[in-house]
Amino acid sequence: MSKVKWTKEQLQAIEKTGNNILVAAAAGSGKTAVLVERIINKIINQKIDIDELLIVTFTNAAASEMRQRILEAIYSKIDENPENLDLQRQILLLNKANISTIHSFCLEVIKNYFYEIGISSNFRIGDTSEIELLKQETLEEVFEKLYEEKNEEFIELVNTYSGYRDDDSLKELILKIYNYSQSMPFPSEWINESVEKFNLKDELEQDFGKTLWGKILVEYFTDEIKSCINDLESLSIKLEREFDLERYYSVILNDIENLKSLIKENQTWNDIYINLNNIKFETWPRQAKTDCELKDECKTIRDEVKDRVKDLTKKVFIYSSEEANQDIYEMYKILKSLGKVILEFLNRYQENKKDKNIIDFNDIEHYALKILVKKDEQANYIPTDIAMNYKEKFVEIAIDEYQDSNLVQEYILTTISNGNNIFMVGDVKQSIYKFRQARPELFLEKYDKYILAEGEENTCNEDTKIQLFKNFRSRKNVLDFTNIIFENIMSKKLGDIDYDEKEYLNLGANFEECKELTSGKVELDIIDLTENDDVGVAQPMAYSFCKEQRSNRASTLGDPQPNDDDIILEKTELEAKYVANRIKELLDSNLHIYDKNKDIEK
């Protein structure tokens, strides 16, 4: 077996110790190989047993693969040094090593210390349908109790959030907020704190633009106006060269100046409110002899801009600062009642699960956290003795796919850390689980805060950031094209990171030339899924773009005539069908490809 040649950055990720380390590992940068090698390095060079490491992966499949790769790496080292008894011992220890998902680790904590939280040792995890049914039954119990008590706050809450026919919309809202609260370390506290944010009793005179909600709305307003200005400026560039359209050009320029006056710095909410409600757009000129597509295009886009500005007036800036503050405070009374009902449901639901001796998926993390932390006399959360035992046990905590961690997981793992032994690997550009309450902000906070490792001689004991931006998976033309696309569409607001040269994917591998790839072109297929009224199915056309030239190659997904299967295909299935056909085209053309061992295959 040839010896792997690690890059300088990969070696840093493998060998550096003594502090928390964040590895920003781009796609194809060999992060899994680096993580496995780091573990092997700890076993061989640092004489750390494998069961002294906690290795957290995102899926069970990833944990299984990680365990297998570590086993193979250990066997490979044993082949090099058959007399090494310590390596042979690691084979046995691997069976009880903590290489798992965070939920598997939490389950182990619960099973070992169930008595600390007052549940039975033979609890089970309820299946999805059972859990959902129990939630609905519990919610019915809570509502029935409150109706019987004729609770006035509750009745007002029902009248506020429900129609005259039923209270289903309120129940749906309660379950939605409850489910979201489960992504927080301490759900009950989060619910109470969230409600109190609406308590503006002592702040009714403040500028609404400085409040939590006002800041969000002002930012949205500013982005919308800037977008409108960009649309109009694009039109002005086209009109500037058209002498016959000078009157339209003048109107567009005046619109731009009016919109720019709306986004001056240091404006209060009332400044924006007054200026926005007083903005006037000039009448679009009537010029009978002028008839061209550009004039019609300008009018269409200008009308769209006017409608967007009008929407801001009617839907966002509908109140003065004083009225908005009062409106938020009025909501506080309703939301306080809503919070009480959610907490009532939360507590009753926990009791009902305990009666049935079941736990749900969210309980796995929350029960583990309850075992690991407690409140001190000042109501601060501190590690329990059990957490302290884990602190002493684990020399290092390695977290894979860190960009998809949530707040509960972060709290659990930092609680059992000694403060400087967490090794995190991930790529915020690959974070896709925000809908499941993943918090890529955790990654970004550390990415901005941690000190960049300078070189192999770096002995900095501060929290360290290591960047793995060399890609060993793709050719240079693919990486260049990817960088062009990401640079133009990814920003701090859209994608959580400014994609610039510091974030580029860089070529890390040397590939042998292949005759079919000498052109260096990269194909990007944009599939237009439009309805065909004649046949009632989406008939996609794929427009192919290359880095060096643009072609009009268009192809359908298969047979030109739709069949019964096409009619029921979802968009994703249509896309998959197109990709399958494109792959078949390439195979039929005898295109040569490489496998991971770089052997040419047909």
Side-chain angles (χ1 to χ4, degrees), residues 2 11 68 162 167 361 369 380 489 535 584:
S2 60
L11 278 174
Q68 183 61 34
S162 299
D167 51 21
F361 195 68
L369 184 58
N380 297 316
I489 67 172
V535 295
K584 187 175 186 300

Side-chain angles (χ1 to χ4, degrees), residues 7-20:
T7 66
K8 178 187 72 174
E9 293 80 13
Q10 287 175 328
L11 278 174
Q12 289 172 344
I14 291 167
E15 297 174 353
K16 191 150 186 6
T17 60
N19 54 331
N20 294 321

Side-chain angles (χ1 to χ4, degrees), residues 22 24 428 440-452 463-465 467 492 496-498 502-503:
L22 178 72
V428 74
E441 305 95 288
L442 297 170
F443 184 103
L444 290 168
E445 286 170 8
K446 295 178 175 65
Y447 188 76
D448 293 335
K449 178 182 175 183
Y450 283 16
I451 305 297
L452 182 65
D463 293 336
T464 302
K465 170 176 63 182
Q467 295 176 319
K492 198 77 172 176
D496 294 318
I497 198 165
D498 288 320
K502 293 185 294 184
E503 304 294 332

